[in-house]
Amino acid sequence: MLRFSGRGVSDVGRVRPHNEDSGFVGPYVALVADGVGGAAAGEIASATAAYAVSATALAHGPDDPERIIASAVEAAVASIRRGVQGDLNRLGMATTLTALVCDGSRVVLGHVGDSRAYHLREGRLTQISRDHTYVQHLVDAGQLDREARSRHPWRNVVLRSLDGDPEGEGVDLVPVAVRTGDRFLLCSDGLTDLVDDVRIAEVLRLQDPHSAAAVLTHSALLAGGRDNITCIVLDVVDGPLVVGDGQLLGAVCDIANIVDPSAVRLGQP
C-alpha cells in the first residue's frame, strides 16, 4: 500500500514580521497554503484552509482522492467565508493551496495559486502544478520565457486563490502517476522566487527528507529570505496502512488562526 513518508520546514524568512504560510504532512495527505500577499489576514486564510483540508482527509483515511479534495476544498472555502463574515477587517483574505492526496495506490494533486508541487524520479525534476499568476499567463501566451518568471516584477500577482467565494473556479485536479521511490516537493513561493530548479533538484537528491527540506529553506534564506518559506519533502513508500495524524507547519500551529475549527464537517465526502 503506497503512502507518503516525509517532513517539512516552515520559516518566517528575513523580512516578513510573521508567517502567513501553513503546511501539513501526513501519510496520505500533505499540503502547503500561503496567505495571498497583500491581502488581509493571510495567516488566518492559510491556517483555516490547511486545517479544513487536513482534517477532512484524516477523517476519511485513504479514500478516493478527487472526492476527498473536493470535499476538503468545499470545507475550506466555507470556513474562509465565515471568517470574513465574522470580521470584515478580514475582507479580501485568501490563500493558495497545493495538496497531494493518496488512497494507497493513486495520488492526485489539488492546486490553486502560486505555491508549487514538484515530482522527482530518477534524478529528473518536473513541476506538476501550474502557477495561477499573471506571469504564467504571459508565459502561456508566448510573451515571456519560462526562465524569466522568478525575475518579473509582477511575479506575485495571483489570478486564482481560495477566497471564500463558493462560485470560485476551485482547484486544479491533476492525477499523478507514482511508484515507490518517487519524491515530491510542496513549497511556497518563498522558495521558488529565490532558488532555481537546478538547485532544487540538487538538494532533493539528499537521502533524508527532513534534511532536504531544511537545506532548501536555508538556501532561500541565504538568497535573501524576503518571504515566508515552506518546504515539504515526501517520499513514496510501500507498506501497511498507517493510522495517525501528522506534522503541522507555520500559521496553522496556532489554533487562534483557525476560523471555528469545530465547524468543519467531517461527514462522508
Side-chain angles (χ1 to χ4, degrees):
M1 186 173 193
L2 298 181
R3 61 177 176 83
F4 303 130
S5 176
R7 297 288 289 178
V9 174
S10 189
D11 194 285
V12 69
R14 300 189 184 279
V15 176
R16 296 293 181 93
H18 57 275
N19 197 345
E20 296 189 0
D21 286 0
S22 293
F24 179 80
V25 188
Y28 303 102
V29 59
L31 66 90
V32 167
D34 177 3
V36 174
E43 69 279 10
I44 304 294
S46 76
T48 297
Y51 174 81
V53 173
S54 58
T56 301
L58 287 171
H60 301 289
D63 199 351
D64 181 83
E66 288 91 350
R67 294 177 63 213
I68 289 290
I69 293 170
S71 180
V73 167
E74 181 180 358
V77 168
S79 292
I80 292 171
R81 184 167 67 253
R82 283 194 299 272
V84 173
Q85 292 170 343
D87 184 351
L88 292 182
N89 289 322
R90 297 171 178 167
L91 190 64
M93 77 173 182
T95 183
T96 72
L97 177 68
T98 303
L100 288 172
V101 175
C102 178
D103 67 357
S105 59
R106 300 174 56 242
V107 171
V108 174
L109 168 71
H111 169 74
V112 62
D114 64 348
S115 298
R116 288 186 184 170
Y118 290 89
H119 183 196
L120 184 77
R121 175 179 288 175
E122 297 178 349
R124 181 178 179 182
L125 185 70
T126 304
Q127 182 181 335
I128 57 174
S129 60
R130 178 183 176 277
D131 297 349
H132 297 131
T133 60
Y134 178 70
V135 165
Q136 185 62 48
H137 168 74
L138 295 179
V139 172
D140 294 343
Q143 299 175 29
L144 184 72
D145 290 337
R146 185 176 186 275
E147 292 72 20
R149 290 180 302 179
S150 63
R151 301 188 300 274
H152 196 283
W154 294 351
R155 62 186 173 274
N156 298 122
V157 177
V158 176
L159 301 181
R160 284 174 57 189
S161 60
L162 294 185
D163 60 1
D165 180 2
E167 303 301 323
E169 296 181 73
V171 302
D172 293 343
L173 292 175
V174 183
V176 184
V178 296
R179 66 190 189 203
T180 304
D182 285 356
R183 174 166 281 189
F184 290 101
L185 167 68
L186 304 180
C187 60
S188 61
D189 64 343
L191 174 71
T192 54
D193 278 353
L194 296 174
V195 180
D196 63 26
D197 287 3
V198 173
R199 174 60 175 167
I200 289 173
E202 176 187 352
V203 175
L204 285 178
R205 295 186 185 104
L206 293 173
Q207 183 174 2
D208 177 52
H210 185 243
S211 296
V215 172
L216 285 171
T217 301
H218 188 61
S219 296
L221 290 170
L222 289 176
R226 59 175 180 248
D227 199 354
N228 309 142
I229 308 151
T230 300
C231 302
I232 293 173
V233 178
L234 307 166
D235 289 331
V236 177
V237 300
D238 192 1
L241 176 68
V242 173
V243 178
D245 46 16
Q247 178 192 13
L248 297 172
L249 298 167
V252 73
C253 293
D254 185 351
I255 195 170
N257 288 329
I258 303 168
V259 174
D260 195 6
S262 64
V264 176
R265 296 179 60 190
L266 301 178
Q268 290 299 318

